[in-house]
């Protein structure tokens, strides 16, 4: 049971990392006028990605100022999420493995 929970949490973090990357690339495409937010589909996708990623990115954006107009908070957030997935979750799951058996 603990292994399944660890699997689910690691994959949710992986999906969040993908959403952050897609959101960042999409914001660049909008900024360089490659895609247009007046398109209903593009606008809907952007809104969904913002709703998913902003709760994670907002704390980093408060601490890390934009460098030359470039927001590096997605990079830092991805590094932190990868660290949580690779090191913190298995470390926290180890006592649960011992408890469950």
């Amino acid at each position: 049971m603990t292994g399944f929970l660890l699997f689910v949490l690691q994959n949710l973090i992986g999906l969040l990392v993908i959403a952050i990357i897609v959101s960042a690339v999409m914001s660049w495409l909008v900024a360089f006028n490659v895609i247009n937010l007046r398109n209903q589909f593009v606008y809907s996708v952007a809104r969904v990605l913002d709703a998913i990623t902003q709760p994670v990115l907002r704390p980093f954006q408060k601490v890390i100022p934009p460098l030359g107009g470039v927001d590096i908070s997605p990079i830092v957030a991805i590094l932190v999420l990868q660290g949580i997935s690779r090191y913190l979750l298995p470390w926290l799951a180890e006592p649960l493995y011992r408890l469950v058996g």
Side-chain angles (χ1 to χ4, degrees):
M1 181 67 181
T2 307
F4 176 72
L5 184 61
L6 182 65
F7 171 78
V8 168
L9 288 174
Q10 286 177 334
N11 283 311
L12 284 175
I13 290 173
L15 288 173
L16 184 58
V17 166
I18 291 171
I20 291 172
I21 292 169
V22 170
S23 178
V25 169
M26 193 167 193
S27 72
W28 297 337
L29 293 175
V30 169
F32 292 122
N33 207 19
V34 174
I35 58 174
N36 195 339
L37 287 178
R38 283 181 257 161
N39 183 331
Q40 187 64 34
F41 177 74
V42 173
Y43 180 74
S44 299
V45 170
R47 292 279 308 223
V48 168
L49 287 173
D50 283 343
I52 293 170
T53 59
Q54 280 306 310
V56 175
L57 294 176
R58 196 172 302 120
F60 293 104
Q61 289 170 341
K62 288 181 182 177
V63 175
I64 303 168
L67 300 174
V70 177
D71 184 19
I72 63 165
S73 61
I75 297 169
V76 176
I78 289 171
L79 290 173
V80 169
L81 287 170
Q82 288 294 321
I84 288 171
S85 178
R86 289 187 185 183
Y87 300 109
L88 188 61
L89 282 180
W91 180 72
L92 290 175
E94 190 174 315
L96 289 175
Y97 283 135
R98 279 188 249 129
L99 253 169
V100 174

